[in-house]
Amino acid sequence: MASHGGITLGRIGGIRIGLDYSWFIIFALIAFLLASAYLPLVAPGMTALAYWSSAVMVALLFFASVLFHELSHAFIARRAGIPVNNIVLFIFGGMAQMEDEPGSPWDEFKMAIAGPLASVLIAVVFFGVALAAAVAENRLLLASFNYLWFINLVLAVFNMLPGFPLDGGRVFRAGLWKLTGSLRRATWIAALTGQGFGWLLIALGVGSLVYPPLRAFASIWFALIGWFLVSAARNSYQQTVLKETLARVPVADVMNPEVTAVPPALSVQRLVTDYFLRESASSFPVEHDGAIIGMVAVEDVRALPREEWERRVVADIMRPLAEERVLHPEDDAWDAASRMAKHNADSVFVTADGRMAGIVTRATIARWLQTHATWAPGPA
Ligand SMILES: [Zn+2]
C-alpha cells in the first residue's frame, strides 16, 4: 500500500522502519497546530520558541507512539510465526506489513489487539507524566502530555472500529473466522463491513462540506480516511482470495519450464551482453551437465571491476543457489509468491532431482491467474 517511496529510518530487530513521504504532512500539521493554536491557548504567555520546541517534541513522541503500536503488532505476529519485514509510517498512521495471513483466529485476534493495547499502555504512561507536570505546575509540559495521552487513546479507539483492515476489523474477522470456519468467508464479510464503514466516513466528510452543521463532528479529513479504508478493505480481500487460490495450485502449473541457465565457463562480459542486457531477469541459475550448481545475480557482476569482466568467468562470481529460492514441483504457487515477496526476489526456481524443472516469476503467476482464476466477488 504505502510502501513505495519514502525513507528508511533504520531497522529494529530486523524489521525495516520506513517513512512514507506523506508522513511529513501529518508531522508538520501536528507541530503547526500545536505551536500556533493549541499550546498558546491552554498555556498562554510563553515564547514562540517554547511553543515550537514543545510542539516538535509532541510530534516526535506521537511518531514514537505509532511506531510502538506497530511494533507490538509485529512482535506478536512474529511469535505466531508470521514474518514482518517492514513497518511503514504514513499520513494515516502506521502499517506493519505481514508476509502471510495468520494461521488461526486466535493468532489473528492476539495480533490485532496488541496494537490498541499498546496505545492504551502509552496513554497511561503519558497520563502519568501529565500528572507529574500538573504537580510541578509546568503548564506547557502538562498541555503537551495531555495532548499525547489523549491522542493515543483516540488512536486505540479509532483502530478498534470494526472496519477491516483496521485492528477492530481484524478482531471482527477473527470472530467471524472462528464462527464460520472459513477465512475467506470471514474476510469477505469483514471487508464488506470495512467498505461500508469507509463509505460512511466519506459521506460524513463530504457532508460536512455541503451541510455546515455536520462540521461539529466531521471534517473532510474523514472523507480521506474513509477513501483509504475502502481501498484497503478491497485490497485485503483480494489478497486473501489470491492466497486461497494459489495455495491450491501446484507450482508446476505456474512455472515456465523453459529456464535460461548460464554455463559456468561463460565470461562475465558475455553474461552481461548476452543475458542481463537481453532478458529482464536479475539473476540466472548456473547449469553444468544438466545439474544446477549455483546462481549468478546482477549484484555479483556489479561487485566485479569492469576491467575484469573479459577475463573472469561465471564460476568465479557465482554463489550457491539459496535455499529460499528453490522449490519442488509439488510445492504450491502461494509458497512461490510469498517467497518472492519475502526475499524481494523476482523469481524462484523449481528443481526436481537436482535438475532445473522451471522458473516462477510474478509474470508467470499473473499469466496463470488471467487464464484460470475465477474472481468470484462473493464468498466461496
Ligand atoms: Zn494497529
Side-chain angles (χ1 to χ4, degrees):
M1 233 158 288
S3 63
H4 329 283
I7 314 167
T8 300
L9 281 187
R11 286 173 180 276
I12 298 179
I15 302 171
R16 172 187 170 266
I17 310 296
L19 275 191
D20 186 74
Y21 292 120
S22 67
W23 180 81
F24 289 100
I25 299 174
I26 196 72
F27 185 86
L29 203 66
I30 289 181
F32 177 75
L33 287 177
L34 253 68
S36 65
Y38 170 74
L39 292 176
L41 191 75
V42 292
M46 314 268 177
T47 62
L49 180 67
Y51 290 138
W52 274 101
S53 41
S54 296
V56 169
M57 174 199 74
V58 169
L60 286 173
L61 282 174
F62 172 68
F63 159 79
S65 307
V66 175
L67 186 58
F68 185 68
H69 175 116
E70 296 307 326
L71 278 172
S72 54
H73 283 309
F75 177 70
I76 300 292
R78 276 195 169 178
R79 284 185 36 157
I82 298 167
V84 177
N85 295 333
N86 215 352
I87 286 178
V88 180
L89 300 190
F90 64 115
I91 191 162
F92 299 128
M95 188 157 293
Q97 287 165 351
M98 312 199 179
E99 303 303 336
D100 203 349
E101 300 264 19
S104 74
W106 178 235
D107 280 349
E108 161 116 275
F109 175 79
K110 282 187 295 185
M111 236 157 68
I113 203 83
L117 283 182
S119 292
V120 170
L121 182 72
I122 303 177
V124 170
V125 171
F126 286 163
F127 184 75
V129 180
L131 277 183
V135 172
E137 293 183 15
N138 185 330
R139 299 221 314 269
L140 198 54
L141 204 62
L142 174 62
S144 301
F145 277 88
N146 270 341
Y147 181 87
L148 278 168
W149 72 253
F150 181 72
I151 199 159
N152 271 290
L153 220 51
V154 169
L155 207 64
V157 171
F158 175 77
N159 272 294
M160 280 311 287
L161 292 172
F164 185 78
L166 289 178
D167 300 336
R170 287 186 174 275
V171 168
F172 180 51
R173 179 171 82 156
L176 289 169
W177 185 2
K178 178 96 190 150
L179 270 175
T180 62
S182 155
L183 175 63
R184 181 165 172 178
R185 189 181 293 259
T187 308
W188 186 64
I189 302 171
L192 271 189
T193 316
Q195 288 183 53
F197 182 69
W199 283 114
L200 182 75
L201 287 181
I202 293 174
L204 278 173
V206 173
S208 74
L209 288 183
V210 202
Y211 180 64
L214 263 180
R215 273 179 214 162
F217 65 101
S219 69
I220 192 65
W221 190 243
F222 278 44
L224 290 175
I225 295 177
W227 179 71
F228 165 72
L229 280 179
V230 169
S231 63
R234 248 185 226 143
N235 288 339
S236 305
Y237 176 63
Q238 279 167 3
Q239 174 77 14
T240 305
V241 174
L242 187 66
K243 181 192 169 172
E244 293 233 315
T245 308
L246 290 181
R248 290 190 211 122
V249 180
V251 79
D253 287 8
V254 298
M255 73 187 187
N256 177 359
E258 273 145 46
V259 189
T260 309
V262 297
L266 186 75
S267 79
V268 175
Q269 183 63 53
R270 290 270 315 275
L271 173 70
V272 172
T273 50
D274 296 359
Y275 292 88
F276 280 122
L277 291 180
R278 255 182 225 174
E279 302 196 22
S280 59
S282 67
S283 60
F284 291 100
V286 182
E287 194 174 36
H288 183 64
D289 284 343
I292 298 307
I293 56 170
M295 64 179 271
V296 63
V298 162
E299 304 91 81
D300 304 325
V301 174
R302 259 194 226 122
L304 189 71
R306 216 188 173 100
E307 55 274 19
E308 297 195 35
W309 285 8
E310 202 60 70
R311 50 183 197 87
R312 302 292 282 273
V313 294
V314 167
D316 299 331
I317 61 166
M318 71 178 201
R319 56 174 96 184
L321 194 51
E323 194 80 39
E324 64 268 9
R325 295 283 296 275
V326 184
L327 288 169
H328 302 287
E330 63 277 10
D331 289 331
D332 66 65
W334 175 252
D335 201 356
S338 53
R339 280 181 197 217
M340 280 189 270
K342 200 159 131 191
H343 302 286
N344 208 7
D346 58 9
S347 60
V348 287
F349 305 111
V350 182
T351 64
D353 307 321
R355 306 206 162 238
M356 191 57 73
I359 184 170
V360 182
T361 64
R362 283 170 227 272
T364 66
I365 294 180
R367 210 171 304 134
W368 187 90
L369 283 170
Q370 273 163 13
T371 46
H372 294 79
T374 47
W375 289 84

